[in-house]
Coordinates of all heavy atoms in Angstrom, one line a residue:
R11 N -10.9 -6.2 -2.1 CA -10.6 -7.1 -3.1 C -11.4 -6.4 -4.4 O -10.8 -6.4 -5.6 CB -11.0 -8.4 -3.0 CG -10.1 -9.4 -2.0 CD -10.3 -10.8 -2.2 NE -11.7 -11.2 -1.7 CZ -11.9 -11.6 -0.5 NH1 -10.9 -11.5 0.4 NH2 -13.1 -12.0 -0.2
S12 N -12.5 -6.0 -4.2 CA -13.3 -5.3 -5.4 C -12.6 -4.1 -5.8 O -12.3 -3.8 -6.9 CB -14.7 -5.0 -4.9 OG -15.5 -6.1 -4.7
V13 N -12.2 -3.3 -4.8 CA -11.4 -1.9 -5.0 C -10.2 -2.2 -5.9 O -10.0 -1.6 -6.9 CB -11.2 -1.2 -3.8 CG1 -10.2 -0.1 -4.0 CG2 -12.5 -0.7 -3.1
F14 N -9.4 -3.2 -5.5 CA -8.0 -3.3 -6.1 C -7.9 -4.4 -7.3 O -7.1 -4.3 -7.9 CB -7.0 -3.6 -5.0 CG -6.9 -2.5 -4.0 CD1 -7.4 -2.4 -2.7 CD2 -6.3 -1.2 -4.5 CE1 -7.2 -1.4 -1.8 CE2 -6.2 -0.2 -3.6 CZ -6.7 -0.3 -2.2
R15 N -9.0 -5.2 -7.3 CA -9.0 -6.2 -8.3 C -9.9 -6.0 -9.4 O -9.6 -6.1 -10.5 CB -8.9 -7.6 -7.6 CG -7.7 -8.0 -6.8 CD -7.8 -9.3 -6.2 NE -6.6 -9.6 -5.4 CZ -6.4 -10.6 -4.5 NH1 -7.5 -11.4 -4.2 NH2 -5.3 -10.7 -3.9
R16 N -11.2 -5.8 -8.9 CA -12.3 -5.6 -9.9 C -12.2 -4.1 -10.4 O -12.3 -3.9 -11.6 CB -13.6 -5.8 -9.3 CG -14.6 -5.7 -10.4 CD -16.0 -6.3 -9.8 NE -17.0 -6.2 -10.7 CZ -17.3 -7.1 -11.7 NH1 -16.4 -8.2 -11.9 NH2 -18.3 -7.0 -12.6
F17 N -12.1 -3.1 -9.6 CA -12.0 -1.8 -10.0 C -10.6 -1.3 -10.4 O -10.5 -0.1 -11.0 CB -12.6 -0.8 -8.8 CG -13.9 -1.3 -8.3 CD1 -14.3 -0.7 -6.9 CD2 -14.8 -1.9 -9.0 CE1 -15.6 -1.2 -6.5 CE2 -16.0 -2.3 -8.5 CZ -16.3 -2.0 -7.2
R18 N -9.6 -2.0 -10.1 CA -8.3 -1.7 -10.5 C -7.8 -0.3 -10.0 O -7.0 0.3 -10.7 CB -8.2 -2.0 -12.0 CG -8.4 -3.3 -12.6 CD -8.4 -3.4 -14.0 NE -7.0 -3.1 -14.4 CZ -6.6 -2.7 -15.8 NH1 -7.5 -2.5 -16.7 NH2 -5.4 -2.5 -16.1
A19 N -8.1 0.0 -8.8 CA -7.6 1.2 -8.3 C -6.1 1.0 -7.9 O -5.7 -0.2 -7.7 CB -8.4 1.5 -7.0
E20 N -5.4 2.1 -7.8 CA -4.0 2.1 -7.4 C -3.8 3.1 -6.2 O -4.7 4.0 -5.9 CB -3.2 2.6 -8.7 CG -3.4 1.7 -9.8 CD -2.3 1.7 -10.9 OE1 -1.5 2.7 -10.8 OE2 -2.4 1.1 -11.9
V21 N -2.8 2.8 -5.4 CA -2.5 3.6 -4.2 C -1.4 4.4 -4.4 O -0.4 4.1 -5.0 CB -2.4 2.6 -3.1 CG1 -2.1 3.5 -1.8 CG2 -3.7 1.8 -2.8
L22 N -1.4 5.7 -3.9 CA -0.3 6.6 -3.9 C 0.0 7.0 -2.5 O -0.8 7.3 -1.7 CB -0.8 8.0 -4.6 CG 0.2 9.2 -4.4 CD1 1.5 8.9 -4.9 CD2 -0.5 10.5 -5.1
V23 N 1.3 6.7 -2.1 CA 1.8 6.9 -0.8 C 2.9 8.0 -0.9 O 3.5 8.2 -1.9 CB 2.2 5.6 -0.1 CG1 1.2 4.5 0.0 CG2 3.4 5.1 -1.0
N24 N 3.3 8.6 0.2 CA 4.3 9.7 0.3 C 5.5 9.3 0.9 O 6.3 10.1 1.3 CB 3.7 10.9 1.0 CG 3.3 10.6 2.5 OD1 3.5 9.5 3.0 ND2 2.5 11.6 3.1
S25 N 5.7 8.0 1.3 CA 7.1 7.5 1.8 C 7.2 6.1 1.4 O 6.5 5.3 1.3 CB 7.0 7.7 3.3 OG 6.3 6.7 4.0
G26 N 8.6 5.8 1.2 CA 9.0 4.5 0.8 C 8.7 3.4 2.0 O 8.3 2.3 1.7
S27 N 8.7 3.8 3.3 CA 8.5 2.9 4.3 C 7.0 2.6 4.4 O 6.7 1.3 4.7 CB 8.8 3.5 5.7 OG 8.3 4.7 5.9
L28 N 6.1 3.4 4.0 CA 4.7 3.1 3.9 C 4.4 2.3 2.7 O 3.7 1.3 2.9 CB 3.9 4.6 3.9 CG 2.4 4.5 3.8 CD1 1.9 3.6 4.8 CD2 1.8 5.9 3.7
K29 N 5.1 2.4 1.6 CA 4.9 1.6 0.4 C 5.2 0.1 0.8 O 4.6 -0.8 0.6 CB 5.8 2.1 -0.7 CG 5.7 1.2 -1.8 CD 6.4 1.8 -3.1 CE 6.5 0.8 -4.2 NZ 7.1 1.3 -5.4
Q30 N 6.5 0.0 1.5 CA 6.9 -1.3 1.8 C 5.9 -2.0 2.9 O 5.8 -3.2 2.8 CB 8.4 -1.3 2.3 CG 9.4 -0.9 1.2 CD 9.2 -1.7 -0.1 OE1 9.2 -3.0 0.1 NE2 9.2 -1.2 -1.1
A31 N 5.5 -1.2 3.8 CA 4.5 -1.8 4.8 C 3.2 -2.3 4.2 O 2.8 -3.4 4.5 CB 4.3 -0.8 5.9
L32 N 2.8 -1.6 3.2 CA 1.6 -2.0 2.5 C 1.8 -3.2 1.8 O 1.0 -4.3 1.9 CB 1.0 -0.9 1.6 CG 0.2 0.2 2.2 CD1 -0.2 1.1 1.0 CD2 -0.9 -0.3 2.8
I33 N 2.9 -3.3 0.9 CA 3.2 -4.5 0.2 C 3.5 -5.8 1.1 O 3.0 -6.9 0.6 CB 4.4 -4.2 -0.7 CG1 4.0 -3.2 -1.7 CG2 4.9 -5.5 -1.5 CD1 5.1 -2.7 -2.6
S34 N 4.2 -5.5 2.3 CA 4.4 -6.6 3.1 C 3.2 -7.2 3.9 O 3.1 -8.4 4.1 CB 5.5 -6.2 4.2 OG 6.7 -5.8 3.5
D35 N 2.3 -6.3 4.2 CA 1.2 -6.6 5.1 C 0.0 -7.1 4.3 O -0.9 -7.8 4.9 CB 0.7 -5.4 5.9 CG 1.6 -4.9 6.9 OD1 2.7 -5.7 7.1 OD2 1.6 -3.8 7.5
S36 N -0.1 -7.0 3.0 CA -1.5 -7.4 2.4 C -1.1 -8.0 0.9 O -0.4 -7.4 0.2 CB -2.4 -6.2 2.3 OG -3.5 -6.6 1.5
P37 N -1.8 -9.1 0.5 CA -1.6 -9.6 -0.8 C -2.3 -8.7 -1.8 O -2.2 -9.0 -3.0 CB -2.4 -10.9 -0.7 CG -3.3 -10.9 0.4 CD -2.6 -9.9 1.4
L38 N -3.1 -7.7 -1.4 CA -3.7 -6.9 -2.4 C -2.9 -5.9 -3.0 O -3.1 -5.3 -4.0 CB -4.9 -6.1 -1.7 CG -6.0 -6.8 -1.0 CD1 -7.0 -5.9 -0.3 CD2 -6.8 -7.5 -2.2
F39 N -1.6 -5.8 -2.5 CA -0.8 -4.7 -2.9 C 0.6 -5.3 -3.4 O 1.1 -6.3 -3.0 CB -0.3 -3.7 -1.8 CG -1.5 -3.0 -1.2 CD1 -2.1 -3.2 0.1 CD2 -2.3 -2.2 -2.0 CE1 -3.0 -2.7 0.7 CE2 -3.5 -1.6 -1.6 CZ -3.9 -1.8 -0.2
S40 N 1.2 -4.7 -4.4 CA 2.4 -5.0 -5.0 C 3.1 -3.8 -5.6 O 2.7 -2.7 -5.6 CB 2.1 -6.1 -6.1 OG 1.5 -5.3 -7.3
E41 N 4.2 -4.1 -6.2 CA 5.1 -2.9 -6.9 C 4.2 -2.3 -8.0 O 4.3 -1.2 -8.4 CB 6.3 -3.4 -7.3 CG 7.4 -3.8 -6.3 CD 7.8 -2.4 -5.7 OE1 7.8 -1.3 -6.2 OE2 8.4 -2.5 -4.5
R42 N 3.2 -3.2 -8.6 CA 2.4 -2.6 -9.7 C 1.4 -1.6 -9.2 O 1.2 -0.6 -10.0 CB 1.6 -3.9 -10.4 CG 0.9 -3.5 -11.5 CD -0.1 -4.5 -11.9 NE -1.0 -4.8 -10.9 CZ -2.2 -4.0 -10.7 NH1 -2.3 -3.0 -11.4 NH2 -3.0 -4.2 -9.7
N43 N 0.8 -1.8 -8.1 CA -0.4 -0.9 -7.8 C 0.0 0.0 -6.5 O -1.1 0.7 -6.2 CB -1.7 -1.6 -7.6 CG -1.7 -2.6 -6.3 OD1 -0.6 -2.7 -5.7 ND2 -2.8 -3.2 -6.0
V44 N 1.0 0.1 -6.1 CA 1.5 1.1 -5.0 C 2.5 1.9 -5.5 O 3.6 1.5 -5.9 CB 1.9 0.4 -3.7 CG1 2.2 1.4 -2.6 CG2 0.8 -0.6 -3.1

């Protein structure tokens, strides 16, 4: 939560399926930061 909300880090992924899995599996991720 610190990494993605306080530090405002963003995630770079190399496949659409990985992006969708992250967004689906955790409230920390959204279209904004993945």
